[in-house]
Amino acid sequence: MDPNNNKNYQIAYSDPAVSFLTENKNSITMDVLQKNCPDSAAIKIFQELNPTLIVPLLQKNHLSGILFLGERFYFDAETGIDYTEYEKNLVLSIGSLAAIAINNATLIERSSTDMMTQLKLKYFFFNVLTEKLDNAMSEKKPLSVIMFDIDFFKHFNDTYGHECGDYVLKQVAFLIKQNLREEDLASRYGGEEFTVLLNETTKDAAIAVAERIRSCIENHDFVFNNQHMHVTISCGVAVFDHESNPVTIAKQLVNQADQGLYMSKHNGRNRVTYAPPSLVSLDDEESK
């Protein structure tokens, strides 16, 4: 079995094969699936994978995935049987454990993700930032935080309705994430505010990222119900440095970025401002 990493093997949940695997609740061969689901569009996909056994991953009668077993190393030539009933049941039990693991991972993902923007939630952002900040301190490497706020966001809700406001939030979130590396982390901090964590990123690089995102949003054509809207964001950048800004608490770094954001708002909006460490007293923050 040699899957093509560039190919989408997604199967429609309405496909007959999905219903059969869900109701049958057993490990089956390709022949059995073809016999019972002759009209299934998924058959062609399964055939490309050439499985010797197909195992449904079931969690509370819900099919969360399908496990395909490739060519097995041992084959009983006398009986012509690839898998005994015991082996099929054993694989099915392993599949049940895998289904539970997938379900638990899905629940964790949902609980840490903002459903509207599909970005991480504030608490998840702080958990990751705390961990990355500890690593940055021990390894003496830079770490940057950017805070964004949509300018005059209330105007979109008041003028075009809350559905328009939701559209703007989703589009801004998409554009932010589109301009980040895979290892970066973006979150919806609250309301129309967003935060970004840039691991091992210096001041100049972080400012460049923030400026790229700001410019991208400013030049993006936001269209809602045939209305073209001009959207801008204000940004604040803060950078951990073991010599010039040795913050020890994640909230300190976010507060510095927030102060930079405030300066951007105060100086006309639609701009990026680096927040010098002196903007927030480390002693004051630690005493809160």
Side-chain angles (χ1 to χ4, degrees):
M1 183 165 59
D2 188 17
N4 184 347
N5 293 329
N6 297 318
K7 186 167 183 176
N8 182 2
Y9 290 102
Q10 187 173 4
I11 301 166
Y13 204 76
S14 58
D15 192 278
V18 173
S19 299
F20 179 74
L21 289 168
T22 303
E23 295 170 3
N24 190 55
K25 297 181 174 62
N26 287 312
S27 303
I28 60 172
T29 62
M30 191 67 203
D31 291 339
V32 172
L33 186 65
Q34 287 178 298
K35 181 179 178 181
N36 287 272
C37 306
D39 299 326
S40 169
I43 293 295
K44 185 177 180 180
I45 297 176
F46 291 3
Q47 287 174 331
E48 290 183 20
L49 296 172
N50 194 28
T52 57
L53 197 65
I54 301 169
V55 185
L57 304 182
L58 297 167
Q59 173 68 10
K60 296 181 179 179
N61 295 320
H62 174 77
L63 186 70
S64 56
I66 303 172
L67 177 64
F68 296 96
L69 272 66
E71 182 180 0
R72 66 174 300 175
F73 295 109
Y74 172 76
F75 176 75
D76 192 336
E78 294 184 5
T79 63
I81 298 175
D82 279 338
Y83 295 93
T84 65
E85 287 303 313
Y86 171 77
E87 289 172 329
K88 289 181 180 179
N89 290 332
L90 179 61
V91 173
L92 189 63
S93 297
I94 295 173
S96 297
L97 295 175
I100 293 172
I102 291 172
N103 184 65
N104 290 341
T106 301
L107 291 176
I108 292 174
E109 177 68 17
R110 288 177 179 174
S111 67
S112 63
T113 303
D114 176 55
M115 291 298 100
M116 179 183 295
T117 62
Q118 297 303 305
L119 298 183
K120 290 302 180 182
L121 293 170
K122 178 179 179 179
Y123 86 89
F124 185 89
F125 176 83
F126 269 107
N127 286 341
V128 175
L129 177 57
T130 298
E131 178 184 343
K132 296 296 184 182
L133 183 57
D134 287 342
N135 292 337
M137 287 188 289
S138 63
E139 297 176 11
K140 296 183 178 180
K141 293 182 177 180
L143 179 147
S144 299
V145 168
I146 308 173
M147 181 167 277
F148 301 96
D149 186 90
I150 301 174
D151 297 327
F152 303 110
F153 179 72
K154 189 174 182 294
H155 165 77
F156 301 109
N157 284 330
D158 293 345
T159 305
Y160 304 107
H162 287 278
E163 190 175 347
C164 175
D166 293 346
Y167 162 77
V168 172
L169 285 170
K170 292 175 184 178
Q171 286 294 300
V172 168
F174 172 78
L175 293 172
I176 289 174
K177 195 168 184 179
Q178 193 178 47
N179 281 278
L180 298 176
R181 302 169 300 182
E182 187 175 344
E183 62 266 30
D184 298 329
L185 176 66
S187 80
R188 184 182 180 189
Y189 195 74
E192 65 272 21
E193 285 189 325
F194 302 88
T195 48
V196 166
L197 166 61
L198 303 173
N199 196 37
E200 297 186 17
T201 303
T202 62
K203 169 187 170 183
D204 290 344
I207 292 174
V209 171
E211 178 58 32
R212 182 172 71 238
I213 293 172
R214 185 209 62 77
S215 177
C216 177
I217 291 172
E218 181 185 23
N219 294 303
H220 183 75
D221 187 17
F222 288 79
V223 183
F224 179 78
N225 288 344
N226 296 321
Q227 294 289 329
H228 293 262
M229 299 172 296
H230 184 231
V231 180
T232 63
I233 58 172
S234 297
C235 318
V237 177
V239 181
F240 162 83
D241 182 273
H242 73 282
E243 292 182 351
S244 63
N245 190 30
V247 296
T248 58
I249 301 173
K251 183 64 175 175
Q252 295 172 344
L253 200 58
V254 173
N255 282 352
Q256 288 176 357
D258 193 27
Q259 287 295 314
L261 172 60
Y262 172 80
M263 292 175 66
S264 289
K265 292 280 189 181
H266 182 73
N267 291 323
R269 296 181 169 84
N270 189 27
R271 65 190 63 222
V272 175
T273 303
Y274 167 69
S278 58
L279 283 178
V280 178
S281 169
L282 302 188
D283 292 334
D284 290 344
E285 283 302 317
E286 289 175 344
S287 65
K288 289 183 180 178

